[in-house]
Amino acid sequence: MIILITGGDGFVDSAVIRHIIKSTTESVINVVCLTYAGNTESLSLIDKSVQHHFVQVEICDAKAMEDTFVKFQPDALMHLAAKSHVDRSTDGLAAFMQTNIMGIFTSLEAPRKHWLKFTGDKKTTFHFHHISTDEVYGDLEGTDNLFTETTFYEPSLLYSASKATSEHLVRSWQRTYGLPTVVTSCSNNYGPYHLPEKLIPHVILNTLDAKPLPIYGDGNQIRDWLYLEDHTRVLC
Ligand SMILES: NC(=O)c1ccc[n+]([C@@H]2O[C@H](COP(=O)([O-])OP(=O)(O)OC[C@H]3O[C@@H](n4cnc5c(N)ncnc54)[C@H](O)[C@@H]3O)[C@@H](O)[C@H]2O)c1
């Protein structure tokens, strides 16, 4: 199989690629645009692998996405590229809307146009896997009432609203064009190569430096955590 992965030098994204390359013989087309959030070090153990093909593309560039899709004719597309740091969404709103909403549009359009031309097994087995977040369901009220697939959408932050929008767009491409899609909406991940600006590394680094620890809201918010490599095993 050839799997096209967007944002492949990010935190979850690179773990997915490491997992595929270490445990399968499949090829990965890694679409990255080298933003501050990418960390090529996270790919250092596998970047010489013949299974790994690095392509520099901004996902909102419709022509570049289409050219990449046509060139590599992938059997599946895993869409992970996103602006993901909630704290940056207030000041960097345009980038969030552009990548998380326009970027899903261009990422869906490339396979939509060309999947239609696939024939045989390739057409029936192709799928577009959108990696979303449980933040589309809003805030957890307690530990007895965790989110499920039937929980209502109640995004309350700019990031989660943009991800909820992207989930709706994915479902509408499936309903309208029959594009085979899967959406997974996982909870917060922690694990190797986590960017220092994210909660767990931020708290650890501040503790080591004896700096104040950030408390969000009134400190009573509950988050559900998932170990990164448990997540990637399920995703792949
Ligand atoms: N990290 C988590 O806890 C978590 C939880 C649930 C869902 N998710 C979802 O998983 C996906 C990956 O999250 P992450 O934590 O690895 O994020 P990340 O910020 O570490 O990585 C995102 C990647 O997308 C790339 N990117 C951003 N804008 C781009 C653009 N316009 N074109 C091409 N690439 C672009 C970045 O360079 C980076 O490589 C996201 O869609 C996120 O919403 C993450």
Side-chain angles (χ1 to χ4, degrees), residues 3 5 11-17 19-20 26 76-80 127 129-132 182-186 189 226-236:
I3 307 171
I5 297 185
F11 168 56
V12 178
D13 333 44
S14 60
V16 169
I17 296 181
H19 178 81
I20 293 174
E26 288 155 9
L77 193 158
M78 294 179 79
H79 183 64
L80 291 113
H127 65 274
H129 183 166
H130 177 50
I131 286 71
S132 190
V182 179
V183 176
T184 48
S185 307
C186 64
N189 287 216
L226 176 60
Y227 182 58
L228 178 66
E229 290 173 5
D230 292 336
H231 182 201
T232 53
R233 267 195 296 278
V234 177
L235 280 182
C236 307

Short mmCIF file of all heavy atoms in Angstrom, two decimals, residues 3 5 11-17 19-20 26 76-80 127 129-132 182-186 189 226-236:
data_model
loop_
_atom_site.label_atom_id
_atom_site.label_comp_id
_atom_site.label_asym_id
_atom_site.label_seq_id
_atom_site.Cartn_x
_atom_site.Cartn_y
_atom_site.Cartn_z
N ILE A 3 0.53 5.04 1.44
CA ILE A 3 -0.31 5.86 2.32
C ILE A 3 0.20 7.29 2.29
O ILE A 3 1.38 7.54 2.59
CB ILE A 3 -0.28 5.33 3.77
CG1 ILE A 3 -0.64 3.84 3.77
CG2 ILE A 3 -1.25 6.12 4.66
CD1 ILE A 3 -0.42 3.18 5.11
N ILE A 5 0.28 10.80 3.97
CA ILE A 5 0.02 11.35 5.30
C ILE A 5 0.32 12.84 5.29
O ILE A 5 1.41 13.25 4.87
CB ILE A 5 0.87 10.64 6.36
CG1 ILE A 5 0.45 9.16 6.40
CG2 ILE A 5 0.74 11.30 7.74
CD1 ILE A 5 1.10 8.32 7.46
N PHE A 11 3.60 15.94 15.91
CA PHE A 11 3.73 15.06 17.08
C PHE A 11 3.04 13.71 16.86
O PHE A 11 3.69 12.65 16.87
CB PHE A 11 3.14 15.82 18.28
CG PHE A 11 2.90 15.01 19.51
CD1 PHE A 11 3.93 14.28 20.11
CD2 PHE A 11 1.64 14.98 20.10
CE1 PHE A 11 3.70 13.54 21.27
CE2 PHE A 11 1.40 14.24 21.25
CZ PHE A 11 2.43 13.52 21.83
N VAL A 12 1.74 13.72 16.60
CA VAL A 12 1.01 12.46 16.36
C VAL A 12 1.40 11.91 14.99
O VAL A 12 1.66 10.70 14.81
CB VAL A 12 -0.52 12.67 16.43
CG1 VAL A 12 -1.25 11.37 16.13
CG2 VAL A 12 -0.95 13.23 17.78
N ASP A 13 1.46 12.82 14.03
CA ASP A 13 1.73 12.49 12.64
C ASP A 13 3.02 11.67 12.47
O ASP A 13 3.05 10.63 11.81
CB ASP A 13 1.84 13.77 11.80
CG ASP A 13 1.05 14.94 12.38
OD1 ASP A 13 1.12 15.14 13.61
OD2 ASP A 13 0.39 15.63 11.62
N SER A 14 4.11 12.14 13.10
CA SER A 14 5.39 11.45 12.93
C SER A 14 5.36 10.09 13.64
O SER A 14 6.00 9.14 13.18
CB SER A 14 6.55 12.30 13.47
OG SER A 14 6.36 12.56 14.84
N ALA A 15 4.59 10.01 14.73
CA ALA A 15 4.48 8.71 15.44
C ALA A 15 3.75 7.69 14.55
O ALA A 15 4.10 6.50 14.54
CB ALA A 15 3.74 8.90 16.76
N VAL A 16 2.76 8.16 13.80
CA VAL A 16 2.05 7.27 12.88
C VAL A 16 3.04 6.75 11.83
O VAL A 16 3.09 5.55 11.53
CB VAL A 16 0.87 8.03 12.18
CG1 VAL A 16 0.30 7.22 11.04
CG2 VAL A 16 -0.20 8.38 13.20
N ILE A 17 3.87 7.65 11.31
CA ILE A 17 4.83 7.25 10.27
C ILE A 17 5.87 6.29 10.85
O ILE A 17 6.19 5.26 10.24
CB ILE A 17 5.48 8.50 9.63
CG1 ILE A 17 4.40 9.29 8.91
CG2 ILE A 17 6.61 8.09 8.68
CD1 ILE A 17 4.88 10.52 8.20
N HIS A 19 5.49 4.28 13.26
CA HIS A 19 4.82 2.99 13.48
C HIS A 19 4.66 2.22 12.16
O HIS A 19 4.98 1.03 12.08
CB HIS A 19 3.46 3.21 14.13
CG HIS A 19 2.71 1.94 14.35
ND1 HIS A 19 2.96 1.12 15.43
CD2 HIS A 19 1.77 1.31 13.61
CE1 HIS A 19 2.19 0.05 15.35
NE2 HIS A 19 1.45 0.14 14.27
N ILE A 20 4.20 2.90 11.12
CA ILE A 20 3.97 2.21 9.83
C ILE A 20 5.30 1.66 9.30
O ILE A 20 5.39 0.51 8.86
CB ILE A 20 3.32 3.16 8.79
CG1 ILE A 20 1.91 3.53 9.24
CG2 ILE A 20 3.30 2.52 7.39
CD1 ILE A 20 1.23 4.59 8.36
N GLU A 26 4.62 -1.04 4.08
CA GLU A 26 3.91 -0.04 3.27
C GLU A 26 4.76 1.22 3.06
O GLU A 26 5.64 1.51 3.86
CB GLU A 26 2.58 0.31 3.97
CG GLU A 26 1.61 -0.85 3.84
CD GLU A 26 0.55 -0.90 4.93
OE1 GLU A 26 0.45 0.06 5.70
OE2 GLU A 26 -0.16 -1.91 4.99
N ALA A 76 -4.50 5.13 0.39
CA ALA A 76 -5.21 5.72 1.54
C ALA A 76 -4.58 7.08 1.84
O ALA A 76 -3.42 7.32 1.49
CB ALA A 76 -5.08 4.82 2.77
N LEU A 77 -5.38 7.95 2.42
CA LEU A 77 -4.86 9.25 2.84
C LEU A 77 -5.19 9.43 4.31
O LEU A 77 -6.34 9.27 4.71
CB LEU A 77 -5.51 10.36 1.99
CG LEU A 77 -4.89 11.75 2.04
CD1 LEU A 77 -5.29 12.56 0.79
CD2 LEU A 77 -5.26 12.54 3.28
N MET A 78 -4.17 9.71 5.13
CA MET A 78 -4.42 10.01 6.55
C MET A 78 -4.18 11.49 6.74
O MET A 78 -3.06 11.99 6.53
CB MET A 78 -3.50 9.18 7.46
CG MET A 78 -3.78 7.70 7.39
SD MET A 78 -2.66 6.75 8.46
CE MET A 78 -3.42 7.01 10.07
N HIS A 79 -5.24 12.20 7.12
CA HIS A 79 -5.13 13.66 7.22
C HIS A 79 -4.91 14.08 8.67
O HIS A 79 -5.82 14.00 9.50
CB HIS A 79 -6.41 14.31 6.67
CG HIS A 79 -6.34 15.80 6.67
ND1 HIS A 79 -5.43 16.50 5.91
CD2 HIS A 79 -7.03 16.73 7.36
CE1 HIS A 79 -5.59 17.79 6.13
NE2 HIS A 79 -6.54 17.96 7.01
N LEU A 80 -3.69 14.52 8.95
CA LEU A 80 -3.36 14.96 10.31
C LEU A 80 -2.93 16.42 10.36
O LEU A 80 -2.97 17.04 11.43
CB LEU A 80 -2.24 14.09 10.90
CG LEU A 80 -2.62 12.65 11.19
CD1 LEU A 80 -1.89 11.70 10.28
CD2 LEU A 80 -2.37 12.29 12.64
N HIS A 127 -9.43 4.77 1.30
CA HIS A 127 -10.19 5.54 2.28
C HIS A 127 -9.42 6.78 2.73
O HIS A 127 -8.18 6.82 2.68
CB HIS A 127 -10.61 4.68 3.49
CG HIS A 127 -9.45 4.18 4.28
ND1 HIS A 127 -8.78 3.03 3.97
CD2 HIS A 127 -8.85 4.70 5.38
CE1 HIS A 127 -7.80 2.85 4.84
NE2 HIS A 127 -7.81 3.84 5.69
N HIS A 129 -8.82 9.01 5.89
CA HIS A 129 -8.93 8.93 7.35
C HIS A 129 -8.61 10.30 7.94
O HIS A 129 -7.48 10.79 7.81
CB HIS A 129 -7.96 7.86 7.86
CG HIS A 129 -8.04 7.64 9.33
ND1 HIS A 129 -7.47 6.56 9.96
CD2 HIS A 129 -8.60 8.37 10.34
CE1 HIS A 129 -7.69 6.63 11.26
NE2 HIS A 129 -8.36 7.72 11.51
N HIS A 130 -9.60 10.90 8.54
CA HIS A 130 -9.42 12.22 9.15
C HIS A 130 -9.22 12.07 10.65
O HIS A 130 -10.07 11.51 11.34
CB HIS A 130 -10.67 13.07 8.87
CG HIS A 130 -10.62 14.42 9.50
ND1 HIS A 130 -9.54 15.27 9.36
CD2 HIS A 130 -11.51 15.09 10.28
CE1 HIS A 130 -9.78 16.39 10.02
NE2 HIS A 130 -10.96 16.30 10.59
N ILE A 131 -8.08 12.57 11.14
CA ILE A 131 -7.80 12.46 12.58
C ILE A 131 -8.30 13.75 13.24
O ILE A 131 -7.78 14.84 13.01
CB ILE A 131 -6.29 12.22 12.84
CG1 ILE A 131 -5.92 10.77 12.48
CG2 ILE A 131 -5.97 12.39 14.33
CD1 ILE A 131 -5.89 10.37 11.09
N SER A 132 -9.35 13.59 14.04
CA SER A 132 -9.92 14.75 14.71
C SER A 132 -9.70 14.63 16.22
O SER A 132 -8.81 13.89 16.66
CB SER A 132 -11.40 14.87 14.35
OG SER A 132 -11.91 16.10 14.80
N VAL A 182 -13.21 7.88 7.04
CA VAL A 182 -13.26 7.46 8.44
C VAL A 182 -12.85 8.68 9.26
O VAL A 182 -11.91 9.38 8.88
CB VAL A 182 -12.22 6.33 8.72
CG1 VAL A 182 -12.25 5.92 10.18
CG2 VAL A 182 -12.44 5.15 7.82
N VAL A 183 -13.57 8.94 10.35
CA VAL A 183 -13.17 10.03 11.24
C VAL A 183 -12.91 9.43 12.62
O VAL A 183 -13.74 8.68 13.13
CB VAL A 183 -14.28 11.10 11.36
CG1 VAL A 183 -13.89 12.18 12.38
CG2 VAL A 183 -14.59 11.73 10.01
N THR A 184 -11.75 9.72 13.21
CA THR A 184 -11.50 9.30 14.58
C THR A 184 -11.27 10.56 15.42
O THR A 184 -10.59 11.49 14.98
CB THR A 184 -10.29 8.35 14.69
OG1 THR A 184 -9.18 8.91 13.97
CG2 THR A 184 -10.59 6.99 14.10
N SER A 185 -11.89 10.59 16.60
CA SER A 185 -11.85 11.80 17.44
C SER A 185 -11.29 11.42 18.80
O SER A 185 -12.04 11.11 19.73
CB SER A 185 -13.26 12.37 17.59
OG SER A 185 -13.85 12.54 16.31
N CYS A 186 -9.97 11.42 18.89
CA CYS A 186 -9.32 10.91 20.11
C CYS A 186 -9.13 12.01 21.15
O CYS A 186 -9.27 13.19 20.85
CB CYS A 186 -7.97 10.34 19.74
SG CYS A 186 -6.88 11.60 19.12
N ASN A 189 -3.22 13.46 23.53
CA ASN A 189 -2.11 12.50 23.49
C ASN A 189 -0.93 13.05 24.29
O ASN A 189 -0.72 14.27 24.35
CB ASN A 189 -1.61 12.31 22.07
CG ASN A 189 -2.55 11.50 21.19
OD1 ASN A 189 -2.12 10.75 20.36
ND2 ASN A 189 -3.86 11.64 21.36
N LEU A 226 -4.31 10.00 26.44
CA LEU A 226 -4.06 8.78 25.67
C LEU A 226 -2.56 8.75 25.34
O LEU A 226 -2.03 9.74 24.83
CB LEU A 226 -4.89 8.88 24.39
CG LEU A 226 -4.81 7.83 23.30
CD1 LEU A 226 -5.20 6.47 23.84
CD2 LEU A 226 -5.73 8.23 22.14
N TYR A 227 -1.89 7.61 25.62
CA TYR A 227 -0.47 7.53 25.30
C TYR A 227 -0.31 7.45 23.78
O TYR A 227 -0.96 6.64 23.10
CB TYR A 227 0.19 6.32 25.99
CG TYR A 227 1.66 6.26 25.70
CD1 TYR A 227 2.50 7.32 26.02
CD2 TYR A 227 2.21 5.15 25.05
CE1 TYR A 227 3.86 7.29 25.72
CE2 TYR A 227 3.57 5.11 24.76
CZ TYR A 227 4.38 6.19 25.09
OH TYR A 227 5.71 6.16 24.77
N LEU A 228 0.56 8.30 23.25
CA LEU A 228 0.72 8.45 21.80
C LEU A 228 0.85 7.12 21.06
O LEU A 228 0.20 6.89 20.04
CB LEU A 228 1.96 9.31 21.55
CG LEU A 228 2.35 9.57 20.11
CD1 LEU A 228 1.31 10.41 19.40
CD2 LEU A 228 3.71 10.28 20.04
N GLU A 229 1.72 6.22 21.58
CA GLU A 229 1.98 5.00 20.81
C GLU A 229 0.84 3.99 20.93
O GLU A 229 0.67 3.14 20.05
CB GLU A 229 3.37 4.45 21.18
CG GLU A 229 4.40 5.43 20.60
CD GLU A 229 5.84 5.20 20.96
OE1 GLU A 229 6.14 4.19 21.61
OE2 GLU A 229 6.67 6.05 20.58
N ASP A 230 -0.01 4.11 21.97
CA ASP A 230 -1.26 3.32 22.01
C ASP A 230 -2.19 3.83 20.90
O ASP A 230 -2.84 3.06 20.20
CB ASP A 230 -1.96 3.45 23.37
CG ASP A 230 -1.17 2.80 24.48
OD1 ASP A 230 -0.37 1.89 24.18
OD2 ASP A 230 -1.34 3.19 25.65
N HIS A 231 -2.23 5.16 20.77
CA HIS A 231 -3.09 5.78 19.75
C HIS A 231 -2.66 5.34 18.35
O HIS A 231 -3.47 4.92 17.54
CB HIS A 231 -3.02 7.30 19.90
CG HIS A 231 -3.89 8.05 18.95
ND1 HIS A 231 -3.68 9.37 18.63
CD2 HIS A 231 -4.97 7.67 18.22
CE1 HIS A 231 -4.59 9.76 17.77
NE2 HIS A 231 -5.39 8.76 17.49
N THR A 232 -1.35 5.41 18.07
CA THR A 232 -0.90 5.10 16.70
C THR A 232 -1.13 3.63 16.36
O THR A 232 -1.45 3.31 15.22
CB THR A 232 0.59 5.47 16.48
OG1 THR A 232 1.36 4.87 17.50
CG2 THR A 232 0.78 6.96 16.52
N ARG A 233 -1.01 2.75 17.37
CA ARG A 233 -1.27 1.32 17.10
C ARG A 233 -2.73 1.14 16.66
O ARG A 233 -3.01 0.36 15.75
CB ARG A 233 -1.00 0.47 18.34
CG ARG A 233 0.42 -0.09 18.39
CD ARG A 233 0.55 -1.20 19.41
NE ARG A 233 0.34 -0.74 20.76
CZ ARG A 233 1.28 -0.14 21.50
NH1 ARG A 233 2.49 0.02 21.00
NH2 ARG A 233 1.02 0.29 22.71
N VAL A 234 -3.65 1.87 17.29
CA VAL A 234 -5.07 1.73 16.93
C VAL A 234 -5.33 2.37 15.56
O VAL A 234 -6.05 1.83 14.72
CB VAL A 234 -5.97 2.40 18.01
CG1 VAL A 234 -7.43 2.33 17.60
CG2 VAL A 234 -5.77 1.73 19.35
N LEU A 235 -4.70 3.53 15.32
CA LEU A 235 -4.94 4.25 14.06
C LEU A 235 -4.51 3.44 12.84
O LEU A 235 -5.13 3.51 11.79
CB LEU A 235 -4.13 5.56 14.03
CG LEU A 235 -4.66 6.76 14.78
CD1 LEU A 235 -3.73 7.94 14.58
CD2 LEU A 235 -6.06 7.11 14.31
N CYS A 236 -3.39 2.70 13.00
CA CYS A 236 -2.82 2.03 11.82
C CYS A 236 -3.34 0.61 11.76
O CYS A 236 -2.82 -0.28 11.25
CB CYS A 236 -1.31 2.07 11.88
SG CYS A 236 -0.68 3.73 12.10
#
